[in-house]
Amino acid sequence: MEASSSTSHDPALFHAPLLHHPRRRSSRPLKGFAVIFGSVVFLLSLVILIVNQSPEPLASNPSSVTEAGSYSMAAQPRGIAEGVSAKSNPSLFDKVGFNWTNAMFYWQRTAYHFQPQKNWMNDPDGPLYHKGWYHLFYQYNPDSAIWGNITWGHAVSKDLIHWFYLPLAMVPDQWYDINGCWTGSATLLPDGRIVMLYTGSTNESVQVQNLAYPANLSDPLLLQWLKYPGNPVVVPPTGIEDNEFRDPTTAWLGPDGSWRITVGTRFNTTIGTALVFQTTNFSDYQLLDGVLHAVPGTGMWECVDFYPVAINGSVGLDTTALGPGIKHVLKASLDDTKVDHYAIGTYDMITDKWTPDNPEEDVGIGLKVDYGRYYASKTFFDQSKQRRILYGWVNETDTEADDLEKGWASIQTIPRSVLYDNKTGTHLLQWPVEEVESLRLNATVFKDVVVEAGSVVPLDIGTATQLDILAEFEIETLVSNSTEDEVSDCGDGAVVRNTYGPFGVLVIADDSLSELTPIYFRPLNISNGSLETYFCADETRSSKAPDVTKRVYGGKVPVLDDENYNMRVLVDHSVVESFGEGGRTVITSRVYPTEAIYGAARLFLFNNASGVNVKATLKIWEMNSAFIRPFPFEETLFQEMVAST
């Protein structure tokens, strides 16, 4: 059925400061698709969701005031003195606080991204699939919305989208982890056992690696975890700093029948390094000669990840997979820059050395997992669907005082499937797991919408706070040749005009375009006459509030000769996840608008190029909210479901 257009507006009333041109008239959708959910069970579940998704009361107790005050006086980011990466935003100390309202804070909470009911969260830990349930553990402060007292939170899901909170999995209660149960990884053994290795900060703030395991493997929820009495199982080797040795990986089985893990560290304060330890029983470890890999100038490597990918395949691989037709991905979270980098290369299983395919794109100096606000990512192999799944932590970019008022901080990205990009041979492809599509409601299609150079086109879809957007663009050149001196990056944002761009969508925007977040392509001329394309996100006008970080993010994205420019954008209140060219380049943004919220949030197309018109085709779904709530232990139906798993 034909979707109706919105009421016409006088273009003179809508000056577009992004482009310094009036907006074009509204574009009408070609067709609307309605998804009918008639199930009584669904309606009942929706009521439960609404009740359980109500936010925690905003903090107003004296302890919050004290913590906020200590924030403003802090000399360095929280976490640095304790030996971990920064967990606060000191760059905002000199900013005047914005007068946020409760309604604004309420809107910022996401609807279908995982986050705890309240308080602080950071790195994903030990993700795994067991007896029909996906398990996510995460760094968590049960006492406050700021980093500290780090325990392991725990949640389970049947589909990676709808989650149940479970009791804490591990708390810092032993000398070897009393200052924090930090990041770790799970390994599923062939006999069905599960071993969990994690970093503990000892009573003397030494970083050691510890072993834990489920108390009852027959329990599908894995509610109780036991710490190995002989912990720690690995201590910092000679020459390694006591507070720069953390985050053990999932283990893989070598051809000699022994297991290996990698732990991140650094040498001489600047050389990022991945050490390799060998074990046969997960309680005794031997440091192997040399290193898996090291890159000068990259600093401390946190949250190292190491896993295989199939060169010609559409499924993921178990971490132990070796042999022909397989490349290995080495990823590190750089403490110095707070960026996750990866490289694709070859693993020698005899020497336990990894070599990048392209040394100029080595770990820490080349490709990023995500070019936006994103850190501490971790993958696991989902044996139920033969895929590799990626999680990533997305922190807040406002102040700690604001987080204390909200009562929560940080989210996890939508889980992403990861594959080798055999078309380029140089990139990974990241894509939201297919299960997120179950949240799609009514769809609206716009076909062949012409966006002229220097114009903005409203897309009449109503409220645009929770969306899944698929967009494809073709460019029509208006000039025979470009002689512009074009800088090869995302520039200073979407306001910078070049011959071929930028063009894309404006998300979380208000009608007057006083707040907006452009997600866009920026094709640029290079010396041989071809185009080099960047995929970007511009947060600089995402909020009128001065006390939030607002940056231009992005990176180069290959666009092959047989491809149009395409993007997928997931919008969920204060987070925007953008996937360029099938996921070759990915950007996560945090936005905190003051006006483009609730019913005022809108979606636009824009083209700020000077020499091309753009033709756009889009399919846009409104997204339902996910069910994320405490596990209903008291409900007989769920008890029976767990027992039958």
Side-chain angles (χ1 to χ4, degrees), residues 20 27 33 40 56 74 121 131 165 168 174 193 255 257 287 307 333 377 394 406 417 430 562:
H20 305 292
S27 176
F33 298 90
V40 173
E56 294 292 316
M121 175 180 66
K131 291 186 177 296
Y165 303 121
L168 298 177
Q174 303 295 320
R193 288 180 297 157
L287 174 63
Y307 57 90
S333 300
S377 60
V394 186
K406 290 184 297 187
S417 63
Q430 302 175 53
D562 62 343

Side-chain angles (χ1 to χ4, degrees), residues 96 126 187 323 472 511 596 633:
V96 176
T187 300
E472 187 173 271
D511 269 327
F633 289 104

Side-chain angles (χ1 to χ4, degrees), residues 220-234:
L221 298 182
L222 299 176
L223 290 174
Q224 186 179 3
W225 288 79
L226 303 176
K227 297 177 183 178
Y228 175 58
N231 279 336
V233 294
V234 184

Side-chain angles (χ1 to χ4, degrees), residues 250-497:
T250 296
W252 69 94
L253 191 62
D256 58 0
S258 64
W259 295 86
R260 286 138 169 87
I261 63 166
T262 288
V263 180
T265 187
R266 68 181 185 183
F267 286 127
N268 297 328
T269 72
T270 62
I271 304 174
T273 305
L275 303 176
V276 181
F277 293 85
Q278 179 177 292
T279 184
T280 57
N281 57 12
F282 289 91
S283 59
D284 301 292
Y285 292 79
Q286 176 188 358
L287 174 63
L288 298 184
D289 292 336
V291 299
L292 179 66
H293 194 58
V295 181
T298 56
M300 173 64 195
W301 283 8
E302 298 187 296
C303 301
V304 173
D305 204 3
F306 185 63
Y307 57 90
V309 288
I311 295 176
N312 295 304
S314 58
V315 297
L317 298 177
D318 182 88
T319 307
T320 289
L322 298 169
I326 292 176
K327 295 277 188 181
H328 272 75
V329 176
L330 180 60
K331 167 260 163 183
S333 300
L334 272 58
D335 191 10
D336 289 355
T337 61
K338 309 302 177 289
V339 173
D340 278 18
H341 283 267
Y342 78 91
I344 301 171
T346 301
Y347 170 55
D348 186 327
M349 66 188 77
I350 304 302
T351 63
D352 288 298
K353 302 291 186 293
W354 176 89
T355 305
D357 287 348
N358 180 2
E360 295 183 0
E361 295 280 353
D362 207 344
V363 179
I365 60 176
L367 299 173
K368 299 177 182 178
V369 177
D370 189 299
Y371 287 77
R373 195 73 173 194
Y374 181 93
Y375 198 64
S377 60
K378 182 176 293 295
T379 66
F380 78 102
F381 177 65
D382 173 11
Q383 71 271 30
S384 71
K385 292 193 174 182
Q386 300 296 300
R387 56 184 176 175
R388 182 156 291 273
I389 301 297
L390 171 71
Y391 287 97
W393 165 50
V394 186
N395 67 342
E396 306 299 313
T397 63
D398 57 2
T399 67
E400 284 190 337
D402 292 340
D403 294 342
L404 288 165
E405 281 294 307
K406 290 184 297 187
W408 58 269
S410 302
I411 64 172
Q412 300 288 334
T413 56
I414 293 298
R416 304 169 183 173
S417 63
V418 179
L419 290 172
Y420 177 79
D421 182 7
N422 53 29
K423 291 184 70 174
T424 64
T426 57
H427 286 63
L428 294 177
L429 297 175
Q430 302 175 53
W431 200 246
V433 293
E434 60 184 357
E435 289 89 340
V436 75
E437 297 170 17
S438 68
L439 298 178
R440 289 172 171 173
L441 299 175
N442 54 296
T444 306
V445 173
F446 297 87
K447 188 173 178 59
D448 295 335
V449 179
V450 176
V451 190
E452 298 175 351
S455 68
V456 174
V457 178
L459 297 174
D460 294 331
I461 62 168
T463 302
T465 287
Q466 296 171 213
L467 301 175
D468 186 353
I469 304 166
L470 288 175
E472 187 173 271
F473 302 88
E474 300 178 55
I475 58 176
E476 174 191 354
T477 304
L478 303 178
V479 295
S480 58
N481 190 27
S482 172
T483 58
E484 295 180 46
D485 181 18
E486 298 182 332
V487 179
S488 294
D489 57 25
C490 289
D492 293 326
V495 296
V496 179
R497 304 189 69 181

Side-chain angles (χ1 to χ4, degrees), residues 13-14 137 185 249 384 508 523 542 615 632 635:
L13 297 177
F14 295 95
F137 305 89
S185 303
T249 64
S384 71
I508 309 295
S542 62
K615 184 185 294 184
E635 296 179 23

